[in-house]
Amino acid sequence: MNKDFFRRPDFDKRLKKATETLRNYLAEKDYELTELKVEELIQWNDVTSNGPRNVYPHNECPTEIANIVNQIIEQEFKE
């Protein structure tokens, strides 16, 4: 099996941009994460191997930043 089977260059680029946008936002607001890393705030999973990919905030995303994480996800991953 090809180890890059689940790689999707367009998705990877969008995820990287969303993570960077989130990192910049948190730095601008002087917000420090305690439990999670910025890279962990945006989660994803494949519905099927070649079907849609769900993107969502981590279930333990702090409540006070959950809305901005959702906004960044919607901005980067809207089709």
Side-chain angles (χ1 to χ4, degrees), residues 39-78:
E39 296 80 14
E40 296 172 320
L41 289 173
I42 299 173
Q43 302 281 288
W44 59 269
N45 72 305
D46 289 320
V47 176
T48 62
S49 60
N50 59 354
R53 182 169 275 178
N54 291 331
V55 183
Y56 47 88
H58 193 288
N59 354 345
E60 295 178 25
C61 179
T63 307
E64 60 271 15
I65 63 168
N67 285 337
I68 192 66
V69 174
N70 264 320
Q71 288 174 10
I72 291 170
I73 289 170
E74 288 175 15
Q75 177 184 337
E76 282 305 319
F77 293 97
K78 64 183 174 189

Side-chain angles (χ1 to χ4, degrees), residues 1-74:
M1 181 179 195
N2 182 352
K3 68 178 182 175
D4 291 332
F5 181 75
F6 290 106
R7 287 189 49 80
R8 296 183 184 172
D10 183 55
F11 175 82
D12 294 343
K13 190 167 81 175
R14 289 178 183 205
L15 181 59
K16 184 176 180 178
K17 187 174 179 194
T19 301
E20 197 56 39
T21 300
L22 184 53
R23 184 185 321 281
N24 292 339
Y25 174 85
L26 295 176
E28 204 176 275
K29 300 295 183 187
D30 290 326
Y31 187 90
E32 291 190 30
L33 294 169
T34 55
E35 301 294 318
L36 300 170
K37 296 177 185 172
V38 174
E39 296 80 14
E40 296 172 320
L41 289 173
I42 299 173
Q43 302 281 288
W44 59 269
N45 72 305
D46 289 320
V47 176
T48 62
S49 60
N50 59 354
R53 182 169 275 178
N54 291 331
V55 183
Y56 47 88
H58 193 288
N59 354 345
E60 295 178 25
C61 179
T63 307
E64 60 271 15
I65 63 168
N67 285 337
I68 192 66
V69 174
N70 264 320
Q71 288 174 10
I72 291 170
I73 289 170
E74 288 175 15

